[in-house]
Amino acid sequence: MPAPTRFHVDLDALHHNLVVARRLAGGRQVLAPVKANAYGHGLVEVARSIQERGTAEWLGIAVTAEGAQLRATGVTLPILKFSPTLPEDLDEAIAADITLSVGDAAAISQAQDAARRAGREVAVHLKIDTGMRRVGAEPVQAEELAEQIVAAANLRLQGVFTHLPISDVDEGDDFTHEQLARFDEVVERIEAVAGQVELVHSANSGAVLGHDLGRTNLIRPGIMVYGSYPDVVGSHPADLRDVGRWTSRVNFVKRINAGESVGYGRTWTAERDTWIATVAVGYGDGYSRLNSSRGRMLIGGVSYPVAGRVCMDQTMIDLGPEPPAVAVGDEVVLIGTSGGQRIGVEELAQLMGTITYEVTCLIAGRVERTY
Ligand SMILES: *Cc1c(COP(=O)(O)O)cnc(C)c1O
């Protein structure tokens, strides 16, 4: 039995977006971030499909368990773990053949110890902090750390990378240019002591869409692969396709009288006699409670406003005073198109006061993913 609430992922659209990213990046290699359940789209299915179609050379994850799950399900593409790995996770990460990010001397020696325990060589990417101030080495430490990696018999300095916190908005252009210039200079110094580095990378979606990628030879576009822009405004349009379509079903229809309230807290009161449909989705599915009396849903190409508070498992919408064309079992579109109407991820993000990334990441595990 299909679940009433589903998130359908258009893999053709996702691959199209990967191709667009590569084209914008002048044919550079592509690392597809699949962290956080592939931004909510399904870790294993997305990764496997990328591997089958060959639309990226690398995958990117955030936590060791994601990598272990990918290996357990037959994914053989190289996997870079973006974030630092705690010492107790290193053995599992190395067993799963995850490429590690390192950003200080302690992390390098811990990786070295773990590589020795595993009896094999481990590839690492040295993370340089050029302005994000989150993780990574100070630029002045770059050569010393690179030398430490090169000197470690069981480690291989395969990559050098940095991250760009404001590559997605025009006001950040100067800051990003400075970061990229600093990064170029750091890479030059590293290569002077460590020899040529195989992979040099800095570009997230914002940079792929709007910046000169310089001497880098790999890109890390995430959100654009999933069909959205990193910034809600999006000043660098590209030929991206919608990837996710989130639907639920009507599970009840009733008529209520003017003056009656709908839902918890009695926050919404009918101004006129009207018809209410209840939809089988709530904040327990990741349909944010911030949509209460503010969001809208599509049925048969018609838009209906959310009436009252989003519940954990159900949400009510106002169908209006006329006898409704809507019936129990009808498909309800939360994200996607219906007839000539469209609700984009960015519309929900704007309404919730957040970014597109969070909207799909919040879609709960109980929502069935289909492909
Ligand atoms: C998530 C992530 C990306 C992808 O960023 P988008 O803005 O989704 O393109 C790239 N690099 C690192 C290090 C990340 O953590």
Side-chain angles (χ1 to χ4, degrees), residues 287 289-296 305-308 347 350-353:
Y287 189 73
R289 200 161 167 279
L290 297 169
N291 291 305
S292 298
S293 296
R294 301 171 70 208
R296 64 189 188 108
V306 172
E347 177 178 330
Q350 234 151 359
L351 204 136
M352 291 160 63

Short mmCIF file of all heavy atoms in Angstrom, two decimals, residues 287 289-296 305-308 347 350-353:
data_model
loop_
_atom_site.label_atom_id
_atom_site.label_comp_id
_atom_site.label_asym_id
_atom_site.label_seq_id
_atom_site.Cartn_x
_atom_site.Cartn_y
_atom_site.Cartn_z
N TYR A 287 5.86 18.87 7.33
CA TYR A 287 5.11 20.01 6.79
C TYR A 287 5.00 21.02 7.92
O TYR A 287 4.22 20.84 8.86
CB TYR A 287 3.74 19.59 6.26
CG TYR A 287 3.03 20.69 5.51
CD1 TYR A 287 3.47 21.05 4.23
CD2 TYR A 287 1.97 21.39 6.07
CE1 TYR A 287 2.86 22.09 3.54
CE2 TYR A 287 1.35 22.43 5.38
CZ TYR A 287 1.80 22.77 4.11
OH TYR A 287 1.20 23.80 3.42
N ARG A 289 4.71 23.63 10.88
CA ARG A 289 3.60 24.30 11.56
C ARG A 289 3.59 25.80 11.24
O ARG A 289 2.60 26.48 11.48
CB ARG A 289 3.76 24.05 13.06
CG ARG A 289 2.51 24.24 13.87
CD ARG A 289 2.65 23.54 15.21
NE ARG A 289 1.59 23.95 16.14
CZ ARG A 289 1.62 25.07 16.84
NH1 ARG A 289 2.63 25.89 16.74
NH2 ARG A 289 0.61 25.36 17.66
N LEU A 290 4.71 26.28 10.69
CA LEU A 290 4.75 27.68 10.27
C LEU A 290 3.81 27.93 9.08
O LEU A 290 3.52 29.07 8.74
CB LEU A 290 6.18 28.09 9.88
CG LEU A 290 7.20 28.03 11.02
CD1 LEU A 290 8.61 28.18 10.48
CD2 LEU A 290 6.90 29.11 12.04
N ASN A 291 3.32 26.87 8.46
CA ASN A 291 2.36 27.02 7.36
C ASN A 291 0.93 27.25 7.87
O ASN A 291 0.02 27.48 7.07
CB ASN A 291 2.36 25.77 6.47
CG ASN A 291 3.65 25.64 5.68
OD1 ASN A 291 4.02 26.56 4.97
ND2 ASN A 291 4.33 24.51 5.82
N SER A 292 0.73 27.17 9.18
CA SER A 292 -0.60 27.34 9.76
C SER A 292 -1.25 28.64 9.28
O SER A 292 -0.66 29.72 9.41
CB SER A 292 -0.51 27.37 11.29
OG SER A 292 0.01 26.14 11.78
N SER A 293 -2.43 28.52 8.68
CA SER A 293 -3.20 29.66 8.14
C SER A 293 -2.40 30.55 7.19
O SER A 293 -2.80 31.68 6.93
CB SER A 293 -3.78 30.53 9.28
OG SER A 293 -4.71 29.79 10.04
N ARG A 294 -1.27 30.05 6.68
CA ARG A 294 -0.46 30.86 5.78
C ARG A 294 -0.11 30.10 4.50
O ARG A 294 0.03 30.70 3.43
CB ARG A 294 0.85 31.26 6.47
CG ARG A 294 0.62 32.07 7.73
CD ARG A 294 1.92 32.27 8.48
NE ARG A 294 2.80 33.19 7.76
CZ ARG A 294 4.12 33.16 7.84
NH1 ARG A 294 4.72 32.26 8.59
NH2 ARG A 294 4.84 34.02 7.17
N GLY A 295 0.07 28.81 4.61
CA GLY A 295 0.45 28.03 3.43
C GLY A 295 -0.74 27.79 2.52
O GLY A 295 -1.87 28.22 2.79
N ARG A 296 -0.46 27.10 1.44
CA ARG A 296 -1.53 26.69 0.52
C ARG A 296 -1.17 25.35 -0.09
O ARG A 296 -0.01 24.93 -0.06
CB ARG A 296 -1.74 27.75 -0.57
CG ARG A 296 -0.54 27.93 -1.48
CD ARG A 296 -0.70 29.13 -2.40
NE ARG A 296 0.40 29.15 -3.38
CZ ARG A 296 0.27 28.86 -4.67
NH1 ARG A 296 -0.92 28.54 -5.18
NH2 ARG A 296 1.29 28.87 -5.48
N PRO A 305 -6.16 27.62 0.62
CA PRO A 305 -5.37 28.05 1.78
C PRO A 305 -5.50 27.10 2.97
O PRO A 305 -6.55 26.51 3.19
CB PRO A 305 -5.97 29.42 2.12
CG PRO A 305 -7.37 29.37 1.62
CD PRO A 305 -7.36 28.45 0.41
N VAL A 306 -4.41 26.99 3.73
CA VAL A 306 -4.43 26.22 4.97
C VAL A 306 -5.31 26.97 5.97
O VAL A 306 -5.19 28.18 6.15
CB VAL A 306 -2.99 26.06 5.53
CG1 VAL A 306 -3.02 25.44 6.93
CG2 VAL A 306 -2.15 25.22 4.59
N ALA A 307 -6.21 26.23 6.61
CA ALA A 307 -7.14 26.83 7.59
C ALA A 307 -6.75 26.36 8.98
O ALA A 307 -6.88 25.19 9.31
CB ALA A 307 -8.57 26.41 7.26
N GLY A 308 -6.25 27.29 9.77
CA GLY A 308 -5.89 26.97 11.15
C GLY A 308 -4.53 26.30 11.25
O GLY A 308 -3.74 26.28 10.30
N GLU A 347 8.89 28.86 -2.38
CA GLU A 347 7.69 29.49 -1.81
C GLU A 347 7.51 29.06 -0.35
O GLU A 347 7.25 29.88 0.53
CB GLU A 347 6.45 29.11 -2.64
CG GLU A 347 5.17 29.67 -2.06
CD GLU A 347 3.92 29.36 -2.88
OE1 GLU A 347 4.01 29.22 -4.12
OE2 GLU A 347 2.84 29.25 -2.26
N GLN A 350 10.25 30.71 1.79
CA GLN A 350 9.98 32.12 2.06
C GLN A 350 8.93 32.27 3.16
O GLN A 350 9.08 33.06 4.09
CB GLN A 350 9.50 32.81 0.78
CG GLN A 350 10.32 34.04 0.45
CD GLN A 350 10.38 34.31 -1.04
OE1 GLN A 350 9.82 33.58 -1.86
NE2 GLN A 350 11.06 35.38 -1.40
N LEU A 351 7.89 31.45 3.03
CA LEU A 351 6.81 31.50 4.01
C LEU A 351 7.28 31.11 5.41
O LEU A 351 6.84 31.65 6.41
CB LEU A 351 5.75 30.52 3.52
CG LEU A 351 4.34 30.74 3.95
CD1 LEU A 351 3.45 30.53 2.76
CD2 LEU A 351 3.99 29.76 5.03
N MET A 352 8.21 30.17 5.45
CA MET A 352 8.71 29.69 6.74
C MET A 352 9.85 30.55 7.26
O MET A 352 10.35 30.33 8.37
CB MET A 352 9.22 28.24 6.59
CG MET A 352 8.11 27.23 6.34
SD MET A 352 8.76 25.68 5.61
CE MET A 352 9.83 25.11 6.93
N GLY A 353 10.29 31.53 6.45
CA GLY A 353 11.40 32.37 6.87
C GLY A 353 12.70 31.61 6.90
O GLY A 353 13.56 31.84 7.75
#
